[in-house]
Amino acid sequence: METQQKTSLHGKSRVALLCMGIGAMALAPGVPALAAPSVPVACNDARAEARLRERETAVLGARHAAEHADARRRQCRAAKGLEAARTVDPAALSAAAVRPANVMGRWGSPIRIPVAGVTAVLLHNGKVLFWSYEPGSWGNPNGSNTGVAYLWDPATRSGRSITPPENIWCAGQTILGDGRVYIAGGNLRYPDPSAEPGQGGWQGTLTHYTFNPNNASFTRQYPDMITGRWYPTVTQLGDDRVVITSGYDENGGNDVTQQVEIFTPSPDMDGNGSITEISPHNPSGLYPFQYVLASGDMLQAGPGRYNSSLLDVDLLSWSALPPMQAWHYDYGNGLVYADASVTPVRQVVLVAGGVTAGPAVTGDIEMLDGTNPAAGWKAFPRWAQRRHNSNTVILADGTLLTVGGNSATSSYGDPVFDTELYTRPPTDATGSWVKVMPHTVQAAYHSTAILLPDATVLLAQDDQDKSPTAAQHVQVYSPPYLFKGSRPRITFAPPAVTWGQAVAILTDTPRISGAMLIAPGATTHGNDMHQRAIKLPSRTLGRTVQVTIPSSSSLVPPGYYMLFVLNATGVPSVAKFIRVM
């Protein structure tokens, strides 16, 4: 079943229903809406539609090409007002809008950006780096290496385009200790029907790069990886090395590689690191979930139920853990959270949602004790709405927010607009998920969501419409905690700290109840490869908050973190970036 899942449940083989957008509707005042979708070129050009149908038949097969054509027909009818576009239920939106914002939160109006946010990375300068494929070359084997990228400033709601070195779309990414983004793999070639038998599928590139936020430049790392990687996972360790696993290789057979590599970065921000092959491991599929545990070893979990393993980072060998309780293919969410304010420290890993072996979309969530992984996986409260392709974000107060996804096993079918909030920290499994204000952008396959330094959540819509004229948007959510009174303010925090250090944080109020360190997000396909949160031990003395950085780099790997303080009513400050080194 594992072998079947890693191919048949891969998102690229799903039926891609094209984007319906958000139509005009009567809503409560202040509830955002998008304009009706534009009319695609193929709607008015039968020859263009015929060429597209022929091309998709060659790449995807006759059945999937016919399903795509039917989806385009529906999109055309919706764009012309002849058929209802799929959107959030206006009644649900209106009902949510009249409830208080300190219960439901609020979504801002959609903001247009020039690229699809297939990957979103928060940089320590506060900007967001998006990257994606170039729409004009989508699916064209002769244009496979053309990508786009965009630097967006949440403060000004504006940005600028930058040129990636190649089509790094569908790479793996994390953030290094000095703030560079590490990027492994990407799209070497789209499926090519003219290739030799068994070689016409997706190909992953062998290249890997670092991105320097200080000068917005990419540096190619040499030597290349030993295998191509398309949909890999990369994980920063406590010593700043990076483990690289999974991904389709470069041979075009849609084979998931079992080869594992470790990248060691250069101390020079624009320098060249080194890469080494280690013990192989079957990741059971694409984008497995990987987290550094309190011991320093790395957990790999899912998407297959029986892929529950530990990598000993000293011996560089793998060992098995008890199997997971559910399958999490096509694409679930995961996160790691530590509470260092208690003794002993508690650390948990959550893996949520996805598609089962059935296949069926699941709402199952399970948790693992990061300090005792041999105890195995336990049930965690389920979402109210089953989903895959969603994103789960750790909020500034340590609670959780899940957005988007879809409830059909296809990539975009039955999109979910419900936003769900888990109002307790992940270490507390006695809570439940509650529905808050729904978003209005469709956020299924290829959507992303990350926490911003002002404690809001940025959601990028999906790419159901991949045409060059498609309108792409982001939407910002203000959680309920931002409507519960005035915000505390950090007036001073040191720019750099080290492990085990007691740190004095100055604030504008004596009513501080706690402090959180949250790593910037680096997410794609529901898999945030850098998101983690640590609740710090803290003590308030007047307007000074004394916090202690955990002594273990396994709990707090090196790098930049958002430091939030919270007041007595749970309202977070705007974050200060501090570097743990």
Side-chain angles (χ1 to χ4, degrees):
M1 182 58 68
E2 291 277 345
T3 303
Q4 176 186 355
Q5 287 294 317
K6 71 185 181 184
T7 55
S8 67
L9 289 182
H10 181 297
K12 286 294 179 292
S13 66
R14 297 285 185 196
V15 179
L17 300 178
L18 296 180
C19 184
M20 301 303 182
I22 306 296
M25 52 190 172
L27 301 175
V31 178
L34 293 180
S38 58
V39 179
V41 172
C43 293
N44 298 319
D45 188 337
R47 289 178 297 178
E49 170 60 29
R51 288 194 298 269
L52 182 56
R53 177 75 174 266
E54 180 181 10
R55 177 173 159 189
E56 289 191 337
T57 298
V59 173
L60 302 174
R63 181 176 63 85
H64 280 174
E67 291 169 329
H68 282 213
D70 183 65
R72 285 193 296 274
R73 181 186 63 80
R74 292 177 180 275
Q75 182 190 16
C76 293
R77 289 179 59 81
K80 295 176 180 179
L82 302 175
E83 184 173 314
R86 185 176 293 278
T87 181
V88 62
D89 180 7
L93 255 182
S94 298
V98 298
R99 298 187 65 189
N102 62 4
V103 174
M104 304 297 285
R106 284 289 181 267
W107 285 96
S109 297
I111 303 163
R112 188 160 182 172
I113 59 173
V115 301
V118 176
T119 299
V121 181
L122 177 64
L123 308 175
H124 66 273
N125 57 17
K127 295 180 181 179
V128 177
L129 174 62
F130 294 113
W131 70 75
S132 179
Y133 53 84
E134 199 284 310
S137 299
W138 162 256
N140 181 0
N142 296 320
S144 298
N145 291 325
T146 305
V148 293
Y150 190 70
L151 275 173
W152 186 73
D153 188 340
T156 63
R157 302 295 202 253
S158 62
R160 65 184 179 94
S161 295
I162 60 174
T163 303
E166 56 182 293
N167 196 1
I168 53 175
W169 166 62
C170 293
Q173 65 286 321
T174 192
I175 304 174
L176 302 175
D178 56 12
R180 282 177 293 172
V181 182
Y182 175 68
I183 304 158
N187 186 46
L188 179 64
R189 192 201 66 193
Y190 293 109
D192 186 355
S194 65
E196 293 294 322
Q199 300 176 18
W202 300 88
Q203 291 184 344
T205 177
L206 288 82
T207 50
H208 55 139
Y209 296 86
T210 53
F211 174 80
N212 183 345
N214 299 332
N215 56 21
S217 66
F218 293 88
T219 299
R220 183 169 176 175
Q221 299 296 309
Y222 292 99
D224 288 345
M225 298 181 291
I226 59 171
T227 183
R229 297 191 187 271
W230 189 76
Y231 282 54
T233 296
V234 298
T235 304
Q236 182 202 27
L237 300 177
D239 59 7
D240 209 26
R241 292 179 298 165
V242 178
V243 179
I244 314 163
T245 69
S246 190
Y248 280 175
D249 65 24
E250 72 278 19
N251 296 317
N254 289 354
D255 295 319
V256 179
T257 182
Q258 297 187 25
Q259 293 174 292
V260 181
E261 299 175 80
I262 288 187
F263 172 72
T264 302
S266 165
D268 180 354
M269 290 283 284
D270 298 306
N272 185 62
S274 61
I275 194 163
T276 305
E277 182 181 8
I278 65 169
S279 304
H281 181 71
N282 181 1
S284 80
L286 303 171
Y287 283 138
F289 299 105
Q290 295 179 178
Y291 304 100
V292 179
L293 301 185
S295 64
D297 292 336
M298 188 196 81
L299 169 74
Q300 186 182 96
R305 181 177 173 232
Y306 295 101
N307 184 32
S308 179
S309 307
L310 275 183
L311 173 66
D312 185 312
V313 300
D314 296 319
L315 300 178
L316 301 180
S317 61
W318 294 87
S319 59
L321 291 174
M324 304 181 76
Q325 296 190 346
W327 310 81
H328 298 280
Y329 285 97
D330 272 21
Y331 289 93
N333 307 154
L335 59 90
V336 60
Y337 176 93
D339 186 351
S341 71
V342 297
T343 304
V345 173
R346 293 197 63 195
Q347 185 193 53
V348 296
V349 173
L350 295 188
V351 176
V355 174
T356 69
V361 178
T362 180
D364 287 335
I365 305 176
E366 48 191 306
M367 63 186 297
L368 183 78
D369 183 347
T371 62
N372 184 22
W377 296 86
K378 311 296 182 185
F380 192 83
R382 293 167 56 96
W383 290 318
Q385 170 65 60
R386 59 188 176 90
R387 59 181 93 199
H388 69 132
N389 294 316
S390 58
N391 286 268
T392 297
V393 176
I394 307 173
L395 298 181
D397 61 353
T399 59
L400 307 177
L401 188 81
T402 296
V403 293
N406 56 305
S407 60
T409 56
S410 60
S411 296
Y412 305 97
D414 297 333
V416 174
F417 296 90
D418 291 337
T419 301
E420 296 191 46
L421 178 65
Y422 189 76
T423 57
R424 300 186 183 187
T427 48
D428 184 349
T430 65
S432 60
W433 295 84
V434 297
K435 290 185 179 182
V436 290
M437 189 75 177
H439 47 84
T440 58
V441 298
Q442 181 176 300
Y445 189 51
H446 285 161
S447 65
T448 48
I450 55 174
L451 182 71
L452 295 177
D454 64 356
T456 62
V457 174
L458 176 70
L459 172 64
Q461 76 174 70
D462 65 38
D463 67 337
Q464 189 177 25
D465 184 352
K466 296 178 175 64
S467 67
T469 58
Q472 299 294 333
H473 296 84
V474 295
Q475 199 170 5
V476 176
Y477 179 69
S478 298
Y481 53 45
L482 294 181
F483 301 93
K484 295 183 177 180
S486 59
R487 304 184 70 167
R489 185 169 63 90
I490 298 174
T491 58
F492 171 80
V497 297
T498 194
W499 297 277
Q501 180 180 348
V503 180
I505 309 298
L506 305 184
T507 72
D508 66 346
T509 175
R511 301 178 65 247
I512 297 299
S513 63
M516 296 285 300
L517 280 182
I518 300 183
T523 186
T524 188
H525 295 76
N527 189 343
D528 194 324
M529 301 181 203
H530 196 71
Q531 176 182 226
R532 69 178 69 88
I534 306 98
K535 183 178 181 181
L536 297 175
S538 63
R539 187 164 60 101
T540 301
L541 301 170
R543 297 186 179 186
T544 300
V545 184
Q546 193 85 15
V547 302
T548 302
I549 307 300
S551 59
S552 169
S553 63
S554 301
L555 285 175
V556 189
Y560 287 91
Y561 289 80
M562 293 180 283
L563 170 68
F564 294 95
V565 298
L566 296 101
N567 67 16
T569 55
V571 181
S573 66
V574 172
K576 291 282 189 182
F577 276 98
I578 64 170
R579 184 179 178 185
V580 180
M581 58 185 296

